[in-house]
Amino acid sequence: MSVEDLPTKIHTKRFQNEPNTDFSKAENREEMQQALKDVEASFGADYPLNIDGKSQDTRSHIISRNPSSKETVLGTIASANADQVGQAIEAAQRALPAWQKIPAPHRAEYIELIASGLRTRRFELAAWMVHECGKPWKDADAEVSEAIDFCEYYSLAMRDLDAELHTDYPGEENYVFYRSRGVAVVISPWNFPLAILTGMTVAALVTGNTVIMKPAEQSSIIAFKLMEIAREAGLPVGVLNYVPGIGEDVGPELVGSPDVDIIAFTGSQEVGLTINQLASETDSRQLCVKKVIAEMGGKNAIIIDDDADLDDAVQGVIDSAFGYAGQKCSACSRVIVLKNVYDAFTERLIKAIDSLVVGPASDPAVDFGPVIDQDAFERISDYIEVGTEECETLYESDYSEAAETGFFVGPHVFNIIEEDSRIAQDEIFGPVLAVMKAKDFDHAIKLANGTEYALTGGVYSRSPKNLQRAREEFLVGNLYLNRGITGAVVQRQPFGGFRMSGIGTKAGGPEYLHEFMLPVTITENTMRRGFAPSQDDEE
Ligand code: NAD
């Protein structure tokens, strides 16, 4: 029997990725333009919390702004306090026993209804991502597909897991099945405001956990839209609670609660490690050791071998480094070039970068839009200053005028002189690319592995030997050969890193749901002598 035929794969074998919108068709472009206008017409609304099925306002609020046009207020979101966090945890606890008992295929149906809601509102959701997070059209649209994929894939995967593992032995029956962990806290980043939030949330739900959803401050309206869709799907009250708020305030309340069993986090290394530490402290009221899933940052590199196809390599590096202004966790922020092709590659790279168009994300003609907010703008600008002082500047752009309107930062490229320079080591999370010259392929691999991260990486090479070496020696969770390093697709490229890039297994892959569950083994001695009479027999 081949792996393909294994009975546990019966459902996920049927999985198909959601197609992206074809914007070469006029009707699709028109629909997207209309959605952008419709969303614009709804700017300025208020967005309450949702706890135990009820809306709640708060005293403090988060103001959501359009990063392409920083004066434009998109809406006002209620910002939860400690008391409301407590209420949400209680609601999730109350809803848990009934939700756990719902058969897995039935829970999967709820998640499929969420997928269907995402599908119906695809253009609206993409338009919100353009406005709230400065995502270019194509990226925003692809993100809706990814969110749908997570729903469909995890629903099918849960059905697979639900088939009990059964081993018979003479006189004994053995079953292994899965229980949910309990109350889950989902804490998400703004850079994949819909897909990552949806992925972590539906994985927790379909496995039988109840959820408190804490989105990033910068993308709380998009999270509200997901909450709306989940409610329309008819999830029982308290099973999913929407608790936006300031991470530093509500985060520790959620993570430190003795009544929380699992935390699914995606975001920066700094916050991920803080969560991991706090979650490991046990309280006498706790009944379990908390489980932490933390997907964190990266400092991803692409190696350009001396026999690489440079046209392909330049395009792949540009897409990977500057797509969404370098704000994808998978983005290329270092390119390591073998010395024989260094001059030819950098010359072509710089020429190609010069043709990139930076502007408002609502304009489909731009290559990339703004960075997310004022903090990001300042942090990236500081790094650009460091780069200018410590490195050789290969490309710079003047973004001062555009920055008056939105948080625009133009592309920058620095040639690294010292390997341990901050430009070569720190996750900058913006359109700043470090170029490093390698003496040979050994040196290239050493440089590539020379950070604390291990998220994504790539190699452009025509040498089967070097590609094989990269497979074995390049320490990353997702390695891409002769292609760009962003845009992982659910099931085809399960995603996630190790070292300081993550604790947990890959999102969108076959093991992910296990993180949210506890396997239980039941062994029954079937050699019993007779049965206890039932009441019916006695009568
Ligand atoms: P962030 O760490 O600043 O915030 C992430 C979330 O954590 C937000 O919801 C925030 O409010 C919350 N938070 C902040 N302080 C907290 C605290 N003390 N306790 C609990 N929660 C707290 O990250 P970000 O700026 O939103 O996202 C960008 C980062 O995410 C980058 O480092 C990027 O590499 C990473 N990322 C990683 C992946 C991956 O799959 N590995 C995917 C996307 C993003």
Side-chain angles (χ1 to χ4, degrees):
M1 186 191 276
S2 78
V3 173
E4 294 274 290
D5 300 324
L6 286 173
T8 50
K9 302 279 176 198
I10 46 178
H11 294 296
T12 39
K13 260 173 74 176
R14 288 207 312 263
F15 174 75
Q16 287 200 329
N17 294 105
E18 187 73 10
N20 295 336
T21 303
D22 179 356
F23 285 120
S24 71
K25 292 195 171 135
E27 68 263 30
N28 289 338
R29 290 197 300 277
E30 279 157 24
E31 205 165 338
M32 185 66 188
Q33 292 286 14
Q34 189 57 47
L36 286 165
K37 280 192 205 135
D38 293 345
V39 165
E40 210 173 324
S42 68
F43 284 176
D46 293 331
Y47 298 91
L49 314 180
N50 194 290
I51 297 173
D52 213 13
K54 293 181 207 76
S55 297
Q56 272 197 38
D57 200 5
T58 50
R59 240 176 280 144
S60 52
H61 295 93
I62 296 166
I63 308 289
S64 177
R65 290 177 188 278
N66 183 341
S68 300
S69 159
K70 54 192 178 186
E71 298 306 320
T72 308
V73 171
L74 306 182
T76 304
I77 303 108
S79 179
N81 58 31
D83 185 38
Q84 286 156 327
V85 165
Q87 290 175 33
I89 295 172
E90 276 173 27
Q93 275 187 307
R94 272 196 305 278
L96 185 64
W99 182 244
Q100 279 176 322
K101 280 202 191 97
I102 292 181
H106 188 175
R107 287 199 306 265
E109 281 170 20
Y110 279 107
I111 306 306
E112 283 155 356
L113 284 174
I114 295 178
S116 144
L118 291 166
R119 223 173 257 123
T120 312
R121 293 171 67 172
R122 137 164 241 133
F123 286 98
E124 179 203 340
L125 293 164
W128 269 111
M129 283 188 266
V130 171
H131 286 305
E132 197 176 29
C133 294
K135 278 225 159 180
W137 284 31
K138 261 175 74 178
D139 289 311
D141 177 75
E143 190 165 338
V144 184
S145 304
E146 193 182 0
I148 297 169
D149 282 352
F150 280 132
C151 294
E152 298 286 4
Y153 180 71
Y154 292 146
S155 302
L156 292 171
M158 188 63 225
R159 290 185 158 98
D160 285 347
L161 283 169
D162 188 48
E164 285 166 321
L165 305 178
H166 186 187
T167 324
D168 278 342
Y169 191 79
E172 181 181 284
E173 273 184 10
N174 294 295
Y175 293 94
V176 176
F177 73 101
Y178 295 94
R179 273 188 205 289
S180 66
R181 285 181 176 270
V183 171
V185 167
V186 168
I187 302 179
S188 61
W190 51 264
N191 73 326
F192 282 89
L194 183 69
I196 290 183
L197 179 64
T198 305
M200 292 193 290
T201 302
V202 301
L205 289 173
V206 81
T207 46
N209 303 280
T210 51
V211 176
I212 296 127
M213 194 162 78
K214 204 312 268 170
E217 295 83 328
Q218 300 92 331
S219 56
S220 298
I221 301 183
I222 294 159
F224 181 91
K225 300 288 159 192
L226 175 63
M227 183 69 201
E228 256 177 12
I229 290 169
R231 293 184 68 200
E232 282 158 17
L235 282 181
V237 161
V239 165
L240 178 62
N241 302 277
Y242 167 73
V243 185
I246 305 297
E248 293 81 351
D249 300 338
V250 291
E253 298 287 339
L254 286 162
V255 174
S257 164
D259 298 318
V260 162
D261 303 289
I262 172 165
I263 298 125
F265 165 83
T266 306
S268 63
Q269 184 203 105
E270 188 190 348
V271 175
L273 296 182
T274 307
I275 289 176
N276 193 40
Q277 189 171 17
L278 180 58
S280 70
E281 289 171 14
T282 43
D283 177 306
S284 58
R285 292 165 296 170
Q286 241 168 275
L287 294 176
C288 72
V289 178
K290 286 174 203 165
K291 166 89 178 170
V292 175
I293 303 166
E295 303 297 335
M296 304 184 285
K299 185 72 186 173
N300 313 308
I302 296 182
I303 296 174
I304 314 295
D305 201 356
D306 50 15
D307 62 356
D309 178 327
L310 293 190
D311 292 329
D312 266 3
V314 165
Q315 194 54 54
V317 167
I318 287 196
D319 292 345
S320 307
F322 301 111
Y324 191 30
Q327 301 174 105
K328 296 180 187 175
C329 45
S330 50
C332 166
S333 55
R334 298 179 296 150
V335 55
I336 298 165
V337 191
L338 275 279
K339 72 173 190 305
N340 290 348
V341 287
Y342 180 90
D343 290 340
F345 175 79
T346 47
E347 191 186 323
R348 285 195 214 182
L349 179 77
I350 298 309
K351 276 194 187 139
I353 291 175
D354 208 33
S355 65
L356 292 177
V357 180
V358 182
S362 56
D363 178 353
V366 302
D367 289 296
F368 68 86
V371 298
I372 189 70
D373 60 12
Q374 183 69 30
D375 282 355
F377 178 84
E378 284 170 16
R379 194 194 60 245
I380 298 163
S381 300
D382 287 349
Y383 271 111
I384 289 172
E385 248 174 66
V386 172
T388 313
E389 281 162 22
E390 292 182 1
C391 311
E392 179 197 355
T393 304
L394 296 181
Y395 190 88
E396 63 186 334
S397 38
D398 179 9
Y399 53 91
S400 51
E401 201 183 319
E404 284 172 21
T405 323
F407 304 115
F408 295 104
V409 180
H412 283 73
V413 183
F414 295 108
N415 177 41
I416 300 297
I417 297 159
E418 300 290 340
E419 283 172 28
D420 58 357
S421 125
R422 290 171 60 198
I423 301 296
Q425 294 293 324
D426 295 2
E427 186 188 47
I428 301 173
F429 224 54
V432 178
L433 179 64
V435 184
M436 305 169 93
K437 194 189 281 187
K439 291 194 290 275
D440 51 29
F441 202 75
D442 279 339
H443 187 210
I445 293 271
K446 186 167 168 277
L447 288 173
N449 290 337
T451 73
E452 59 187 355
Y453 296 104
L455 189 51
T456 65
V459 180
Y460 279 90
S461 174
R462 287 178 169 127
S463 153
K465 186 168 150 251
N466 286 350
L467 291 174
Q468 184 55 25
R469 283 198 57 195
R471 287 185 185 98
E472 288 163 14
E473 296 171 37
F474 197 162
L475 297 177
V476 287
N478 285 62
L479 176 65
Y480 297 92
L481 305 177
N482 289 314
R483 51 152 283 173
I485 65 170
T486 58
V489 173
V490 171
Q491 194 190 44
R492 266 165 56 199
Q493 291 120 11
F495 187 81
F498 54 94
R499 281 180 158 183
M500 293 308 237
S501 291
I503 340 168
T505 189
K506 288 183 176 299
E511 286 107 24
Y512 190 66
L513 294 186
H514 289 92
E515 304 260 43
F516 294 83
M517 297 185 292
L518 299 162
V520 175
T521 307
I522 297 184
T523 299
E524 182 176 356
N525 171 8
T526 51
M527 296 289 280
R528 53 200 165 192
R529 294 182 195 95
F531 290 86
S534 72
Q535 279 188 343
D536 291 350
D537 294 339
E538 282 171 3
E539 278 164 10

